[in-house]
């Protein structure tokens, strides 16, 4: 049987939520039925390339310094599609979506577009182009019901639009290495009995890491056995580092920089905290829950479709920062409650957000919409 050839198009292969899903889904795909190709455009954001290639994907970078240059790569992509007999394009996020729609218009190759964010949060130019071009593709997917409803409300598409929830590899992301946990804590001088609160995030405004640090500062002032760690990097690093210094959090909250393999950091965390002002459905949240981290989070976007408040995590309204600090203190001072939320977080993801279920739905779409 000839394999169905699918081309993923995405702006970068750095360590973002959408990008991280690509190697994880590839590991689960039926390799004797599908062949997967990947095109990205920002050569300096390539952290996921090795993982994709190791999982059997074929990766190409069509270098582009800006969004206009990205769009101008369409002719090269068309040649690539013809040479490799691509039967379906799966695009992720707006600018990859725009160039894919142009290719669809010129070649008729079906395009599945996955939207990872709310339309309201995009720059007005991005929103305009997205709305104007949205129906020049085959089907759209929202990573949460919140994202899908945002598409329906703002774009009013005439093409099919459905929700396909993000997933996580629950076999890979599980806590099983106490020695690694303790070695990590020793590296940073964090006591073994400390309550370690973590975040894995790109340093951009929506994550509100400035507020994350303020929440930690208040919690640490009331319980010095609370420590913090932030895994990631981004354009707001100078502001975040300055805030860290202003709050005198040296020796209490640590930065690891950008990491391709984040599992050892989840292994060391007791609590995973998200202070986001908006989200689609964050992959890092699912990973942390699968690793058995207790969750304290805002109810931004698709987060409220994952967390059932006070059942398998603690949620507060966006901008209600004060309650997040008190929630951390309550968990730090009640080990049995902390253990309960850690266990329930793992159960919630294992039951409802496995990567296998996500891939099964994707493959069904690929079979339905290929050339």
């Amino acid at each position: 049987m000839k394999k169905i050839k699918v081309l993923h198009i995405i702006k970068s292969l750095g360590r973002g939520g959408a990008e991280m899903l690509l190697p994880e889904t590839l590991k689960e795909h039926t390799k004797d039925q599908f062949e997967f190709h990947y095109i990205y455009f920002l050569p300096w954001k390539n952290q996921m390339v090795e993982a994709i290639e190791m999982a059997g994907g074929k990766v190409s970078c069509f270098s582009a310094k800006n969004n206009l240059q990205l769009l101008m790569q369409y002719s090269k992509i068309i040649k690539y599609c013809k040479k490799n007999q691509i039967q379906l394009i799966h695009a992720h996020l707006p600018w990859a979506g725009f160039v894919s729609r142009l290719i669809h218009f010129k070649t008729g190759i079906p395009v599945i577009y996955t939207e990872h964010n709310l339309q309201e949060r995009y720059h007005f130019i991005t929103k305009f182009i997205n709305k104007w071009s949205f129906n020049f593709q085959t089907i759209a997917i929202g990573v949460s019901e919140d994202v899908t409803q945002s598409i329906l409300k703002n774009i009013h598409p005439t093409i099919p639009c459905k929700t396909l929830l993000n997933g996580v590899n629950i076999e890979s992301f599980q806590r099983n290495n106490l020695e690694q946990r303790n070695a990590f804590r020793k590296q940073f001088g964090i006591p073994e009995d400390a309550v370690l609160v973590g975040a894995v995030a790109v340093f951009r405004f929506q994550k509100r890491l400035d507020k994350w640090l303020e929440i930690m500062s208040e919690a640490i002032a009331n319980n010095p056995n609370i420590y913090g760690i932030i895994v990631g990097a981004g354009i707001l690093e100078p502001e975040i580092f300055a805030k860290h210094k202003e709050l005198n959090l040296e020796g209490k909250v640590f930065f690891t920089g950008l990491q391709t393999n984040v599992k050892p950091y989840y292994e060391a965390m007791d609590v995973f905290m998200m202070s986001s002002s908006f989200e689609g459905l964050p992959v890092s949240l699912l990973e942390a829950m699968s690793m058995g981290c207790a969750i304290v989070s805002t109810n931004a976007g698709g987060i409220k479709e994952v967390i059932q408040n006070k059942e398998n995590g603690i949620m507060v309204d966006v901008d209600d920062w004060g309650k997040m600090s008190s929630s951390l203190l309550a968990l730090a001072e009640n080990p049995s409650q902390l253990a309960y939320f850690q266990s329930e977080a793992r159960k919630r993801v294992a039951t409802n957000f496995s990567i296998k279920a996500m891939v099964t739905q994707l493959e069904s779409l690929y079979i339905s919409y290929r050339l």
Side-chain angles (χ1 to χ4, degrees), residues 32-139:
D32 60 357
Q33 189 173 6
F34 297 92
E35 178 179 297
F36 289 94
H37 298 245
Y38 300 80
I39 287 176
Y40 73 110
F41 304 93
L42 305 183
W44 60 93
K45 289 190 175 183
N46 63 352
Q47 288 79 18
M48 293 297 108
V49 171
E50 183 179 1
I52 290 172
E53 291 179 337
M54 287 182 65
K58 301 179 181 182
V59 184
S60 301
C61 180
F62 290 2
S63 182
K65 295 180 180 178
N66 53 51
N67 291 328
L68 182 60
Q69 286 189 9
L70 186 159
L71 291 176
M72 296 307 294
Q73 299 294 328
Y74 78 90
S75 60
K76 288 177 63 177
I77 300 172
I78 289 173
K79 289 178 182 177
Y80 184 95
C81 290
K82 290 179 178 178
K83 178 180 178 181
N84 293 281
Q85 298 179 310
I86 298 299
Q87 297 165 270
L88 178 73
I89 292 172
H90 189 167
H92 305 264
L93 299 168
W95 287 93
F98 301 160
V99 74
S100 298
R101 292 164 201 167
L102 181 58
I103 294 164
H104 173 69
F105 178 75
K106 288 185 169 292
T107 67
I109 296 173
V111 170
I112 296 175
Y113 172 67
T114 295
E115 181 59 89
H116 297 259
N117 291 317
L118 302 178
Q119 299 303 304
E120 292 86 347
R121 299 299 179 177
Y122 285 128
H123 187 277
F124 75 93
I125 294 176
T126 304
K127 285 194 289 187
F128 174 80
I129 301 175
N130 210 24
K131 186 172 184 177
W132 174 77
S133 66
F134 205 82
N135 291 318
F136 291 100
Q137 56 196 3
T138 312
I139 183 173

Side-chain angles (χ1 to χ4, degrees), residues 21 95 241:
L21 276 172
W95 287 93
F241 293 160

Side-chain angles (χ1 to χ4, degrees), residues 195-199 209-230 244 247 249 252-254 271 273 321 324-325 328-329:
V195 174
L196 182 59
V197 182
L209 292 175
D210 57 333
K211 293 298 181 182
W212 195 97
L213 292 172
E214 290 178 6
I215 295 161
M216 287 296 295
S217 179
E218 183 178 345
I220 291 167
N222 287 280
N223 185 339
N225 202 39
I226 295 175
Y227 287 75
I229 186 163
I230 299 178
H244 179 262
L247 294 170
L249 289 173
K252 298 296 290 188
V253 174
F254 304 92
V271 180
M273 183 168 70
W321 317 114
M324 297 187 77
S325 181
L328 285 183
L329 286 168

Side-chain angles (χ1 to χ4, degrees), residues 10-31:
I10 191 165
K11 187 173 180 178
S12 84
L13 284 175
R15 201 192 181 317
E19 295 86 345
M20 286 160 30
L21 276 172
L22 295 179
E24 292 301 318
T25 52
L26 180 57
K27 292 173 189 175
E28 297 295 328
H29 274 301
T30 310
K31 302 299 195 304

Side-chain angles (χ1 to χ4, degrees), residues 170-353:
I170 58 174
E171 284 78 26
S172 176
F173 284 91
Q174 58 180 316
R175 196 182 294 269
N176 55 17
N177 196 329
L178 181 61
E179 184 177 323
Q180 188 177 61
R181 166 189 170 90
N182 292 336
F184 176 87
R185 289 183 172 222
K186 185 176 181 181
Q187 174 188 346
F188 286 92
I190 300 170
E192 288 186 13
D193 66 343
V195 174
L196 182 59
V197 182
V200 176
V202 179
F203 288 26
R204 53 186 177 223
F205 177 77
Q206 76 174 90
K207 304 298 182 181
R208 295 314 305 264
L209 292 175
D210 57 333
K211 293 298 181 182
W212 195 97
L213 292 172
E214 290 178 6
I215 295 161
M216 287 296 295
S217 179
E218 183 178 345
I220 291 167
N222 287 280
N223 185 339
N225 202 39
I226 295 175
Y227 287 75
I229 186 163
I230 299 178
V231 181
I235 59 173
L236 292 184
E237 282 184 26
E239 292 90 333
I240 299 305
F241 293 160
K243 188 74 172 183
H244 179 262
K245 185 175 181 180
E246 174 192 330
L247 294 170
N248 297 312
L249 289 173
E250 292 91 343
K252 298 296 290 188
V253 174
F254 304 92
F255 297 96
T256 71
L258 189 65
Q259 302 293 327
T260 301
N261 179 18
V262 295
K263 185 181 174 183
Y265 301 93
Y266 291 125
E267 192 88 52
M269 297 175 194
D270 298 297
V271 180
F272 185 80
M273 183 168 70
M274 294 194 73
S275 50
S276 301
S277 56
F278 62 94
E279 286 287 352
L281 200 164
V283 175
S284 60
L285 173 70
L286 301 179
E287 290 174 345
M289 293 176 72
S290 187
M291 288 293 294
C293 297
I295 304 299
V296 176
S297 179
T298 60
N299 60 1
I303 292 172
K304 57 183 172 288
E305 297 173 44
V306 180
I307 299 296
Q308 297 160 316
N309 191 31
K310 298 184 180 177
E311 292 184 28
N312 39 52
I314 298 173
M315 280 195 310
V316 305
D317 290 336
V318 172
D319 298 339
D320 201 352
W321 317 114
K323 287 185 179 178
M324 297 187 77
S325 181
S326 59
S327 296
L328 285 183
L329 286 168
L331 291 176
E333 293 165 6
N334 190 333
S336 62
Q337 187 181 51
L338 176 62
Y340 171 80
F341 280 117
Q342 289 173 331
S343 174
E344 290 303 308
R346 168 74 183 175
K347 289 178 185 176
R348 171 68 171 160
V349 165
T351 303
N352 297 281
F353 297 94

